[in-house]
Structures are given as C-alpha cells and as structure tokens.
Amino acid sequence: MELQRNPHHVFRIMYHFVWIPKYRHKVFSEPYRTVMKNIIEQIGYDYNIEILELEIPVDHIHMVVRSEPKVSPVDIMQIIKSISARQFFKLHPDIKKKYFWGGKLWTQSYFVETIGNVNEKIIRQYVKISLLLTIDLNESRN
C-alpha cells in the first residue's frame, strides 16, 4: 500500500466493510448485482471514497476502501447505504414492493475492520521498541 498525502497529513487508511440487505433477502442476482455495483462505484466517485474492491454475492456486500483521516467509517457507511438504497429503489420499485415493503434496503448493522500492511503483533512490538528508544535517548542526554 502506498502512502497518501494531503496538505496536512501523510496517511494510509483502509477499511473492509461487510453489510447485508434487510431480512437478508437474496436480491443481488443479475441484473441487480451489476446495478448495485455501478451505484456504489458512482457514489465512491462522487464522494471521493476510493473503492479498491467491491464484490456483491446475492445476500451481502464486501467492500474495501481507502480513506482520509477526516472521514470516519460511520460516515462512509451512512453515505453508501443511504444513497444506494434511494437510487436502487428508484430504478427497481418492483424489488422494493416485493421484498422491502418497510422501505429499508439495508439493516442498520455492518462489519468494519481496518486493513494495514502489518499485523497487530508487529505494531505492538514497534510501540514497545519506540518507548525503549525514547527512554534510551533521554538517558543518554542526561
């Protein structure tokens, strides 16, 4: 993963999201899968959410995104879920009427995890070592 930059930060932030339609209905067979994929990709483009991977099995969605520090995972999900539901139902009112008569396409829940190119053990070791190095540097100055 390469580093990203903006005027004030250097960062590398990636998230893996998984979420499901209400009642876990198996609605994303073709052509609906392609429609939803196009909708989500367009939302990513419009809102500067870099979608690196997007897969849509029939009853859930997996997405990997790269983000800036100022954009939280909650914000990303709120944007993606709300706009995608509205646009999907606008294009396919028959699906809304058949499966989602309550008006909600998505459940409120989702799974999110951060993704890095190192694992937790390495980060913990780095933090411990950096503390020891700081202590050693301070002692050598005295």
Side-chain angles (χ1 to χ4, degrees):
M1 274 190 312
E2 60 192 51
L3 294 175
Q4 292 178 275
R5 301 174 194 282
N6 67 23
H8 304 287
H9 304 86
V10 177
F11 55 93
R12 179 179 21 229
I13 300 173
M14 291 177 60
Y15 300 109
H16 170 218
F17 290 98
V18 181
W19 72 99
I20 61 173
K22 195 93 169 165
Y23 315 115
R24 194 123 189 183
H25 284 305
K26 298 178 185 330
V27 295
F28 295 119
S29 57
E30 289 300 342
Y32 307 114
R33 177 183 349 175
T34 299
V35 169
M36 182 55 73
K37 197 168 190 175
N38 291 337
I39 289 170
I40 292 172
E41 287 172 345
Q42 184 62 49
I43 295 166
Y45 178 80
D46 291 346
Y47 285 83
N48 200 26
I49 299 167
E50 188 177 355
I51 299 173
L52 302 175
E53 298 289 337
L54 177 62
E55 290 302 329
I56 306 178
V58 294
D59 66 347
H60 64 285
I61 294 183
H62 283 273
M63 181 175 70
V64 175
V65 302
R66 191 179 346 228
S67 179
E68 290 195 20
K70 67 181 180 180
V71 182
S72 73
V74 171
D75 294 337
I76 293 168
M77 274 288 89
Q78 182 178 4
I79 291 165
I80 298 283
K81 283 181 165 185
S82 63
I83 296 171
S84 66
R86 222 175 17 253
Q87 290 182 356
F88 187 77
F89 284 157
K90 185 177 178 182
L91 294 170
H92 298 287
D94 54 316
I95 295 293
K96 181 178 181 179
K97 185 176 181 181
K98 183 175 180 180
Y99 296 106
F100 303 102
W101 41 265
K104 306 270 188 200
L105 175 59
W106 308 115
T107 63
Q108 290 182 343
S109 62
Y110 60 89
F111 167 82
V112 62
E113 68 179 337
T114 57
I115 300 174
N117 60 349
V118 294
N119 64 28
E120 178 184 359
K121 183 178 177 183
I122 292 171
I123 295 292
R124 286 173 174 248
Q125 288 173 347
Y126 171 77
V127 170
K128 287 178 183 178
I129 290 171
S130 66
L131 175 62
L132 293 174
L133 291 174
T134 305
I135 291 169
D136 286 346
L137 283 174
N138 289 335
E139 287 177 359
S140 65
R141 288 183 188 157
N142 294 332

